[in-house]
Amino acid sequence: MERSFSVSMDGGIDDSSKFDDDGRPKRTGTVLTTSAHIITAVIGSGVLSLAWATAQLGWIAGPVALLAFSVITWFNSLLLADCYRAPDGSRNYTYMDAVRAHLGGMKVQLCGLAQYSNLFGVTIGYAITASISMVAIKRSNCFHKHGHDAGCHESNNPFIIMFGIMQIILCQIPNFHKLSFLSVIAAVMSFAYSFIGLGLSIAKIAKDGSHPNTSLTGTVIGKDMSATDKMWNTFSALGDIAFAYAFSTVLIEIQDTLKSHPPENKSMKKATFTGITVSTIFYTLCGLIGYAAFGNKAPGNFLTGFGFYEPFWLVDLANVCIVVHLVGAYQVFCQPIFGFVEGWSKKKWPQSKFITKEYMINLSPLGFFNFSFYRLVWRTAYVVFTTILAMLFPFFNDFVGLLGAASFWPLTVYFPIQMYIAQAKIPKYSFTWIWLKILSFVCLIISLLAAAGSVQGLIKSLQKFHPFKSES
């Protein structure tokens, strides 16, 4: 077994101080920096639908659901943190690496299918959300100029196409490591629009007083809401909340930034508690204050549904922040897909110059840029495909709910529990094994109900939808 060594010559250099046990440069992450990464990963576009989700559930079930998903996410994150190290002590750099090390077999492929399907769906959802925010900027200015009763309807499609063109250009960035500047900007933007939405909600409550149209059980069954619609909306709301808390797919990558001492799992557990606690407080405020501001008529997206008209410039600023955030976030989620497909292609056709050949282009004063014809064709095709799907299914709430439902059980609950059982060698049918299995089963039922509600909402929307003619 190789060991780190030091060479000392007249007070020479200790090489072990520069590298970790895997030969990579020394990791410098701390509990504080990791907590910040978690908060950045959790707080995002999911916050936009929390007022609507709370309106479907009401003053009792709404806060309970927000807290329940928080606790479940936190608990399973603790299990996942213990899986960063493989049984032999080596590091796992990605979620799939952890599944491969602890479970192996077909479960690795199932994990990959769940993870990459989720990433694919998120890129479509981000294209939809960004276009709605672009339209909202134009509509906000129209309402300010012509009055709040003006129609000011705009087609979403030109803006989805505009977003797609931006992504075609950005997708030529070779790999994830070149995207740090986009990630930093995206994180700042997500906090900015979230705080603006929260501030506007508080201002609306202060101006109008407490909203009369709220209830303990949320939206009221009556002329405008059948019992069946209420049930489906409730299920879909659970999916929206699950989507808001999703960050398990990047937890291992975040943990890989931590120093080796103290042990990474101990630091990660502290950071997870801090990060999820801050996110939960923020989400609860956005959901409950948003519900208090809008009541049972809360819009699906509280910054584009025009519960706020004035100050129009602040509404515009919030939506600009959403667009900038999603331009960067789209890249963060699609780059792992690009890396997987391109790595597989190079292994499959190593002799193909079209796939493997790279050209160095001087883009002075920006420096040199690695260009590949395969990357240009494949990534452009991917963006075009997701853009067309976004134009075909421009339904924010139902799409977000479906993404949350599809990723919550397998990635946040099932795999962390299965890996923990394998790692800790928990005996079958023991008390711990049984209650972990019960937790997994309950979360599966919740995911299925949330998925059913979202699918039903998509079907209902499609019945009165004309493809490529969507309007906001």
Side-chain angles (χ1 to χ4, degrees), residues 19 69 75 83 103 109 134 175 243 254 257 287 306 317 322 351 365 388 410 454:
F19 300 97
F69 276 97
F75 174 74
C83 298
L103 301 177
Q109 284 72 39
M134 291 180 192
N175 55 55
F243 176 80
I254 292 174
T257 67
F306 288 96
L317 176 61
I322 293 173
Q351 305 303 320
I388 291 172
S454 299

Side-chain angles (χ1 to χ4, degrees), residues 202-395:
I202 294 171
K204 184 176 175 64
I205 295 170
K207 180 181 178 182
D208 301 339
S210 59
H211 202 291
N213 192 23
T214 64
S215 70
L216 295 178
T217 57
T219 50
V220 179
I221 298 172
K223 184 176 67 174
D224 300 325
M225 175 72 65
S226 69
T228 302
D229 288 338
K230 167 75 174 177
M231 178 186 70
W232 290 124
N233 285 354
T234 298
F235 294 159
S236 184
L238 295 176
D240 283 7
I241 296 173
F243 176 80
Y245 278 107
F247 86 104
S248 296
T249 52
V250 294
L251 185 145
I252 296 293
E253 286 83 348
I254 292 174
Q255 190 168 347
D256 192 45
T257 67
L258 281 166
K259 295 177 180 178
S260 299
H261 301 286
E264 303 92 354
N265 62 335
K266 291 185 177 180
S267 297
M268 191 65 190
K269 288 176 181 179
K270 292 178 182 178
T272 298
F273 178 78
T274 302
I276 292 182
T277 298
V278 171
S279 301
T280 300
I281 293 170
F282 190 71
Y283 275 178
T284 303
L285 286 173
C286 287
L288 299 187
I289 293 175
Y291 182 41
F294 297 114
N296 293 334
K297 298 296 184 182
N301 180 327
F302 79 157
L303 284 173
T304 63
F306 288 96
F308 308 118
Y309 289 95
E310 301 294 341
F312 80 100
W313 59 268
L314 190 57
V315 176
D316 287 354
L317 176 61
N319 281 293
V320 167
C321 290
I322 293 173
V323 174
V324 175
H325 168 224
L326 295 180
V327 166
Y330 183 101
Q331 286 299 310
V332 170
F333 279 89
C334 71
Q335 283 289 338
I337 299 175
F338 295 159
F340 174 77
V341 171
E342 288 158 20
W344 177 83
S345 299
K346 288 178 181 178
K347 289 180 180 178
K348 184 74 173 177
W349 300 287
Q351 305 303 320
S352 172
K353 290 185 178 180
F354 172 71
I355 292 174
T356 60
K357 189 161 181 63
E358 299 259 347
Y359 300 90
M360 191 69 73
I361 299 175
N362 189 355
L363 297 178
S364 183
L366 299 176
F368 289 93
F369 176 78
N370 287 336
F371 174 79
S372 162
F373 281 109
Y374 175 63
R375 190 159 54 235
L376 174 66
V377 172
W378 138 246
R379 295 189 180 191
T380 300
Y382 177 88
V383 175
V384 169
F385 184 58
T386 56
T387 300
I388 291 172
L389 287 179
M391 293 166 69
L392 282 171
F393 305 103
F395 313 118

Side-chain angles (χ1 to χ4, degrees), residues 35-58:
S35 299
H37 285 317
I38 293 170
I39 294 169
T40 301
V42 174
I43 295 179
S45 60
V47 74
L48 300 172
S49 64
L50 291 181
W52 179 86
T54 306
Q56 310 314 306
L57 299 168

Side-chain angles (χ1 to χ4, degrees), residues 96 99-112 415:
M96 279 188 69
V99 174
R100 184 178 291 107
H102 291 92
L103 301 177
M106 278 295 296
K107 289 180 180 177
V108 180
Q109 284 72 39
L110 292 174
C111 172
F415 284 115

